Amino acid sequence: MKVKIIFSVLIAALMLISITQIFPVPPHAGDVFPLYRSGYFSELDREFGIITDSFLGIKSMARPEYAWIFLEDVGVKHNIGITVYDYRGYRVPAPGEKTGSPDREVLKVMNSLTPKTNSEIRNGRYCSIMPLIARGDCRFCHAKWNRREVVGAIRFERDYDAMIYYSSERKIIFIILTVMLGGDRKSVV
């Protein structure tokens, strides 16, 4: 009997957690847990990937200055904060220039064993750091001083629509989980 009561309490707790995840409940209303990651954020990451590929293409096929002009234009038009970093974590406002001190967060992403995009919600904005992995044409310029695969990183910051995150996909998933957890209660007790 005690096992049934413990099991019922556990299912009730899981059901309560599932119900709270349907709605934006503080204090974690801005968090994006990887398990609950919406297709909306995947689309934002894909948008950032397209911008990065375009930047690299312009930088390697035309004058590097044009690539920074492209990033500035895209950032202004779509309200995206875009910052380029070199392989040592310094901000690069224009080709050949470095400002400030190394960014620890960027260095952490670039120096990991398997550099990959790191995304999170910070102050109501979706922030993503994408490491720039050297391609064949990148090594022509960057191999002189850098023997690593990562030649830099780009940080993107943009507003996101929290209502999209707390709609459709998320509600459907947690409504199904809630119904499953709250299913036939007679067989449990």
Side-chain angles (χ1 to χ4, degrees), residues 142-157:
H142 292 280
K144 295 175 187 170
W145 61 83
N146 184 12
R147 303 279 183 239
R148 299 180 45 224
E149 290 289 318
V150 180
V151 294
I154 297 182
R155 172 182 284 155
F156 297 94
E157 292 185 23

Side-chain angles (χ1 to χ4, degrees), residues 55-118:
F55 168 77
L56 293 175
I58 294 168
K59 187 176 182 301
S60 61
M61 300 296 182
R63 296 180 64 187
E65 297 86 15
Y66 295 161
W68 269 264
I69 293 169
F70 165 76
L71 289 181
E72 185 177 333
D73 289 346
V74 168
V76 168
K77 180 166 175 108
H78 298 284
N79 193 23
I80 302 172
I82 305 173
T83 310
V84 179
Y85 295 91
D86 70 357
Y87 72 98
R88 292 182 290 171
Y90 287 96
R91 185 168 130 1
V92 181
E97 295 181 23
K98 293 179 176 63
T99 60
S101 59
D103 188 302
R104 293 180 189 269
E105 190 177 4
V106 170
L107 284 173
K108 182 180 172 186
V109 171
M110 288 192 303
N111 292 330
S112 67
L113 292 175
T114 56
K116 60 182 180 181
T117 301
N118 179 33

Side-chain angles (χ1 to χ4, degrees), residues 159-176:
D159 294 330
Y160 77 101
D161 188 356
M163 288 313 296
I164 291 176
Y165 178 57
Y166 287 106
S167 64
S168 303
E169 293 177 11
R170 187 173 170 91
K171 286 183 181 178
I172 290 169
I173 290 169
F174 285 105
I175 286 171
I176 291 171

Side-chain angles (χ1 to χ4, degrees), residues 23-39:
F23 307 102
V25 178
H28 305 292
D31 294 348
V32 180
F33 302 107
L35 179 63
Y36 312 141
R37 193 169 178 84
S38 170

Side-chain angles (χ1 to χ4, degrees), residues 130-146:
M130 300 183 85
L132 301 174
I133 308 299
R135 304 181 302 195
D137 52 347
C138 295
R139 295 191 185 281
F140 181 72
C141 296
H142 292 280
K144 295 175 187 170
W145 61 83
N146 184 12

